[in-house]
Amino acid sequence: MNLVRDLRFAIRLLARNRAFAIAAILVVALGTGATAAVFTVVRAVLLRPLPYAKPDRIVAVRVDSSRGTQQTTLTTQEFQAVEARSDLFESVASYTGVDGSLTGVDDMEILSAASITETFFDVLGVTPFLGRTLTLKQDFGPQFVSGVMISYELWQRRWHGDATLIGRHIEFNNIDAAVVGIMPAGFSLQFGPGAGVGRHVDLWFPYAVGGAATVPCCPAIARLRDGVTLAQARGALRELARGLVAAHPGDYRTGTMTMTATTLPEDLVRDIRPALLALTGAVVFVLLVACANLTNLLLTRACARTRELAVRTAIGASRGQLVRQLVVESVVLAAIGGAAGSLVATWGVHTLMLFAPASMPQRDSVTVDFRVTLLAIGLSLTSALIFGLVPAWQVTRTDLTASLKADPAARSKVTRGLLVSGQLALSLMLLVGAGLMARTFLTLTRAPLGYQPERILLLRGQLAFRKFPARDQLIAFQQRAVDALAALPGVERASAMTPPMLHDILIYRRVALRGDTPETATVTTTVFPDFFRAMGITLRDGREFTADDKTTKERTPVIVDRGLADQLFPGRSAIGRFVLLSPHATSEQWAEIVGVVDHIRLNDVRADGLAQLYVTAPHRPSTDVTFVVRTTGDPRALALDVKNTVERLGPGRPAHVAEPLQDLVDAQRADTRFALFVLGTFAVLALVLTAVGVYSVVAYSTARRTREIAVRRAIGASPFHIVTLVVGEGLGWTALGIAAGAFGARILARSLASLLYGIGTTDVPIFVATAIGLGAIALVASALPAIRAVRVPPMLALRSE
């Protein structure tokens, strides 16, 4: 009954003090709602187990070499060397993402496809829903593929769950193949960055690792043997890499090569982990600021009621009863704030997913459910119990009857000041983090790409290789398609390239001046005439390719970037000079440099990458081609016309959806934009809470000093002197908070290092500007109550006392 009476009294009391109640409820709702929203995202991405058997035993093998760091693709000889280590791995598999389509039917459909080695599903520990897995012996026939597996979703969407589909033939990429298995519902690939294959694959077909030993081609995943630790596997792979370099020095003449293994769950979040950890740290700071603010509000409220509590003590109330009453009031605030916090959490999850990178792992599994509501309410109640007890204990620990004669403000002054300093320190850390991310995003958007992505449309498509058996037929069709696209209204220029830009697909090649000179690793791109003008790439010397350029054994025309030209021919013009392509190939092939262009960021907008070499389509024809269309207006408006134009020419397979190049560029900046949004939002939230906290503390302290201020005014003190006196006390706590925050901001900046670009972790202008801005806000919040106090006539203030 006592508890019910306390509850009713708390509700009546809060109803009479609506300003205090609304402020406290908003603080609780914002702090707990933001925390619950972030926890929902972090739980789905970092904590949810992968849908494979013992996922911590599955590793992804990556390579550091002259081709770049943390590369997913191994050469054939590297993959086979890893595959041979049966003492380390139960099974080793490879995979390749490809463009796919259902053909031979009236309504052709573009699919996501992947070619896999027959041990692929053994490594993942996944079995089909129906049928069997792929094998080379049964499913790799004279026409390249004779058996395929499909996803459960494609089976339902296209064949409506017909169980008789197993064993029946479908036409995939103009190849007739039998369906041998159907994967379980919801199966997806959870691989790390650079994997080159999408999460959702519609169709699988087998392949065998082979081809040139030194050509990067084979991503590798493996399952550790029982008893083999990750550290042991990493040590063995380092030794394996050293052995390969020693055994094949000609293949690694441009530098060393190392291998490492990373568990699949760790590899999956390799790129997004820093952003999520920053997100987690930011919301923890906001929660702490909110808790400090709540404690300050409750402490201020309790101090204002000191005489009331003293009277209740005088008439027989025990200390336990007083503490219980104050805690019940905190719990009522927490319950209401928790309910509001669940709404904030729901909105927060949706907002975070709106700004989250499309490449975020397990993004589809981030959902708002009852656990978010329970978490928000649980956090609010916990905060209320912990931070409601602090002011209750503070106010009731002294002789309350003496408080009828004494001013209680001094007893809680230090506590409230320390809480304000803590809020300021946390806010400064968040503001510095947001400032660093803002500078990073600004620097990244201004970084020269080497091309002009605006108004460029990319259309990727794979042609039916059986329809174009001769390379001349293939090139002629592709050139005909380029000409048809160039003739479309609204198209300024058109060309084509292989492989596509910004898609984690690179073709590596080495060049040298002679067979006995040092080699240089390059990325090779096949382009059609007018490519550089269509892309907006500046030609620095020489000429572009023309339709008359022919490839012979004695001469292959190539265009190089400025970096490669300066490296091979420092201080001299590279035009007309010859280089040796693939120096260790069975037959020599010499290339004549006919042009020099600017270096471009071909695969990663954050990194320059290797030197670049461009060859003509006749030199390296491919059925996988990306058409490049520069439009006169919005490229999206021409997407359907561009797609239809290529399909009407009869390539035998549907063209993929056209996408603006600017969208691909923006997607690579998405993680920075996400971190900027999160840190910026939470920094503003913390700043508002801190400003409110500083204002409330100074306002309460000033209100308790009304008599003192009136006396000072009566004996001749100027308003400026009194304002300076009051503000000085607030600025003391401000200085302490800024000093502590600057120290913590340096630690936070180091944790954000992997997300920064073009700036250091100790960017002095950001630190100084943030400290000055926060100090100015604290100054205003301190000055307002003082200015309001000195405007009250001294006699009126004394009379009210």
Side-chain angles (χ1 to χ4, degrees):
M1 290 298 295
N2 290 336
L3 186 60
V4 174
R5 184 176 63 250
D6 289 341
L7 183 61
R8 290 175 178 172
F9 181 74
I11 294 174
R12 289 197 305 271
L13 197 62
L14 292 175
R16 287 200 303 267
N17 296 272
R18 294 178 184 175
F20 163 76
I22 291 174
I25 289 170
L26 284 176
V27 168
V28 173
L30 292 173
T32 59
T35 304
V38 169
F39 176 79
T40 300
V41 176
V42 172
R43 173 181 170 273
V45 178
L46 295 183
L47 305 179
R48 183 168 294 172
L50 299 185
Y52 309 130
K54 298 180 180 179
D56 289 337
R57 303 296 294 170
I58 306 172
V59 296
V61 180
R62 289 185 179 265
V63 173
D64 290 348
S65 69
S66 60
R67 305 192 300 270
T69 60
Q70 292 294 299
Q71 296 295 302
T72 57
T73 51
L74 285 62
T75 65
T76 301
Q77 69 183 10
E78 290 164 359
F79 178 84
Q80 291 173 344
V82 173
E83 191 179 33
R85 293 301 303 265
S86 57
D87 58 320
L88 297 175
F89 309 114
E90 291 182 8
S91 52
V92 179
S94 184
Y95 57 90
T96 303
V98 299
D99 291 332
S101 53
L102 289 178
T103 54
V105 292
D106 293 334
D107 51 341
M108 296 188 295
E109 181 179 348
I110 296 171
L111 303 176
S112 172
S115 57
I116 57 175
T117 57
E118 60 183 0
T119 55
F120 182 79
F121 293 116
D122 294 333
V123 172
L124 296 182
V126 178
T127 57
F129 175 73
L130 286 178
R132 60 174 176 82
T133 57
L134 299 165
T135 66
L136 288 175
K137 183 177 181 180
Q138 295 173 279
D139 305 312
F140 199 85
Q143 63 167 3
F144 176 60
V145 171
S146 60
V148 296
M149 298 178 68
I150 64 173
S151 68
Y152 182 92
E153 289 72 22
L154 177 62
W155 178 50
Q156 294 290 332
R157 183 175 72 247
R158 195 62 184 252
W159 290 281
H160 309 291
D162 184 1
T164 64
L165 182 64
I166 299 295
R168 283 164 50 187
H169 285 242
I170 62 174
E171 189 174 296
F172 160 71
N173 288 5
N174 304 104
I175 299 172
D176 185 71
V179 177
V180 302
I182 298 171
M183 293 304 295
F187 175 76
S188 62
L189 296 181
Q190 304 291 341
F191 292 170
V197 62
R199 288 194 291 267
H200 302 287
V201 175
D202 296 310
L203 190 142
W204 312 80
F205 62 92
Y207 89 107
V209 173
T214 59
V215 176
C217 62
C218 314
I221 56 172
R223 179 171 288 275
L224 296 174
R225 282 202 173 277
D226 291 340
V228 176
T229 65
L230 180 62
Q232 290 172 335
R234 285 175 170 169
L237 287 175
R238 284 194 295 269
E239 292 298 324
L240 179 62
R242 281 194 284 266
L244 284 172
V245 172
H248 306 280
D251 297 335
Y252 302 100
R253 293 174 64 181
T254 56
T256 59
M257 183 270 294
T258 60
M259 290 185 187
T260 187
T262 308
T263 63
L264 209 56
E266 182 182 348
D267 192 64
L268 175 65
V269 298
R270 186 167 61 94
D271 280 0
I272 197 66
R273 180 186 290 274
L276 290 179
L277 292 180
L279 172 65
T280 304
V283 79
V284 168
F285 290 167
V286 169
L287 182 62
L288 290 175
V289 169
C291 289
N293 212 322
L294 179 63
T295 303
N296 248 333
L297 287 172
L298 294 174
L299 184 57
T300 301
R301 175 67 180 157
C303 286
R305 296 172 59 194
T306 302
R307 287 191 171 92
E308 170 207 332
L309 298 177
V311 170
R312 294 178 63 184
T313 300
I315 61 177
S318 66
R319 184 182 185 190
Q321 289 174 323
L322 297 179
V323 170
R324 185 183 65 201
Q325 177 62 53
L326 294 174
V327 170
V328 167
E329 292 177 17
S330 301
V331 170
V332 171
L333 287 172
I336 301 173
S342 65
L343 298 177
V344 173
T346 301
W347 174 83
V349 170
H350 289 304
T351 305
L352 288 173
M353 289 300 97
L354 184 65
F355 285 87
S359 58
M360 176 182 283
Q362 306 204 68
R363 183 178 181 180
D364 297 340
S365 64
V366 179
T367 57
V368 179
D369 53 27
F370 71 95
R371 284 170 290 197
V372 177
T373 302
L374 293 179
L375 179 62
I377 295 175
L379 281 172
S380 62
L381 290 175
T382 303
S383 302
L385 288 175
I386 295 176
F387 296 99
L389 281 171
V390 172
W393 188 264
Q394 171 97 9
V395 175
T396 61
R397 68 179 180 177
T398 57
D399 183 6
L400 286 171
T401 56
S403 298
L404 289 169
K405 302 177 180 179
D407 186 357
R411 287 194 300 270
S412 61
K413 182 177 179 180
V414 174
T415 302
R416 293 198 308 275
L418 290 175
L419 288 171
V420 167
S421 295
Q423 288 178 278
L424 287 164
L426 294 171
S427 297
L428 180 67
M429 293 171 67
L430 281 175
L431 288 168
V432 168
L436 291 174
M437 295 312 304
R439 281 284 304 274
T440 291
F441 189 72
L442 186 62
T443 305
L444 190 59
T445 54
R446 292 178 175 176
L449 300 174
Y451 51 86
Q452 300 168 13
E454 305 85 4
R455 299 188 291 110
I456 290 182
L457 195 68
L458 301 180
L459 177 70
R460 187 178 177 191
Q462 281 192 329
L463 307 184
F465 65 87
R466 291 195 302 173
K467 188 172 182 178
F468 306 98
R471 71 162 56 188
D472 291 343
Q473 292 176 302
L474 177 64
I475 296 169
F477 174 83
Q478 292 171 342
Q479 186 60 57
R480 194 160 61 249
V482 169
D483 294 339
L485 292 174
L488 284 175
V491 173
E492 183 178 317
R493 294 185 184 277
S495 186
M497 66 182 299
T498 300
M501 296 188 64
L502 305 179
H503 270 89
D504 289 324
I505 302 174
L506 295 174
I507 298 174
Y508 299 97
R509 196 166 202 170
R510 293 174 182 169
V511 300
L513 294 179
R514 297 184 306 275
D516 59 347
T517 58
E519 301 172 10
T520 300
T522 69
V523 174
T524 301
T525 305
T526 301
V527 300
F528 279 68
D530 221 19
F531 170 77
F532 299 102
R533 281 191 289 267
M535 288 291 300
I537 300 173
T538 302
L539 180 69
R540 293 296 178 181
D541 199 5
R543 64 173 177 84
E544 293 195 27
F545 292 131
T546 68
D548 297 328
D549 283 319
K550 305 297 181 185
T551 296
T552 65
K553 291 184 178 180
E554 294 76 22
R555 176 188 177 277
T556 296
V558 298
I559 294 175
V560 300
D561 69 358
R562 285 201 295 177
L564 182 59
D566 292 341
Q567 183 176 349
L568 295 177
F569 308 102
R572 296 174 292 168
S573 173
I575 301 302
R577 300 185 183 276
F578 283 78
V579 293
L580 184 62
L581 302 179
S582 304
H584 292 277
T586 54
S587 60
E588 286 189 346
Q589 187 171 24
W590 289 91
E592 180 186 0
I593 299 175
V594 300
V596 178
V597 297
D598 278 347
H599 182 85
I600 69 172
R601 300 198 170 184
L602 186 67
N603 191 55
D604 188 347
V605 298
R606 291 174 176 269
D608 286 330
L610 296 177
Q612 291 153 2
L613 177 79
Y614 299 90
V615 299
T616 62
H619 173 71
R620 194 183 181 94
S622 173
T623 57
D624 186 352
V625 65
T626 298
F627 297 101
V628 179
V629 179
R630 177 169 286 279
T631 64
T632 57
D634 184 2
R636 292 176 181 82
L638 285 178
L640 186 58
D641 288 341
V642 168
K643 183 177 186 296
N644 290 339
T645 296
V646 175
E647 289 183 341
R648 276 197 298 267
L649 293 174
R653 292 171 58 183
H656 281 244
V657 177
E659 54 187 346
L661 179 56
Q662 186 64 57
D663 288 357
L664 298 179
V665 172
D666 292 341
Q668 292 217 348
R669 297 168 176 162
D671 57 343
T672 300
R673 186 172 60 247
F674 178 61
L676 172 60
F677 165 75
V678 170
L679 286 175
T681 301
F682 287 162
V684 170
L685 180 58
L687 187 61
V688 171
L689 291 174
T690 299
V692 171
V694 173
Y695 178 84
S696 64
V697 168
V698 175
Y700 175 76
S701 177
T702 305
R704 304 304 298 179
R705 298 173 64 182
T706 300
R707 180 182 180 85
E708 174 196 341
I709 292 173
V711 171
R712 287 178 179 270
R713 290 288 310 280
I715 62 175
S718 67
F720 176 78
H721 175 77
I722 294 174
V723 170
T724 303
L725 179 67
V726 174
V727 170
E729 294 182 4
L731 290 183
W733 297 113
T734 299
L736 178 61
I738 289 177
F743 178 77
R746 292 194 63 184
I747 299 175
L748 174 65
R750 292 194 190 102
S751 69
L752 296 174
S754 63
L755 292 174
L756 301 180
Y757 174 82
I759 61 172
T761 57
T762 55
D763 191 82
V764 175
I766 292 292
F767 277 75
V768 173
T770 303
I772 292 175
L774 189 61
I777 292 173
L779 175 64
V780 172
S782 300
L784 287 177
I787 293 173
R788 188 177 60 187
V790 297
R791 287 180 176 176
V792 179
M795 294 307 298
L796 181 62
L798 290 171
R799 191 177 299 115
S800 66
E801 283 289 309

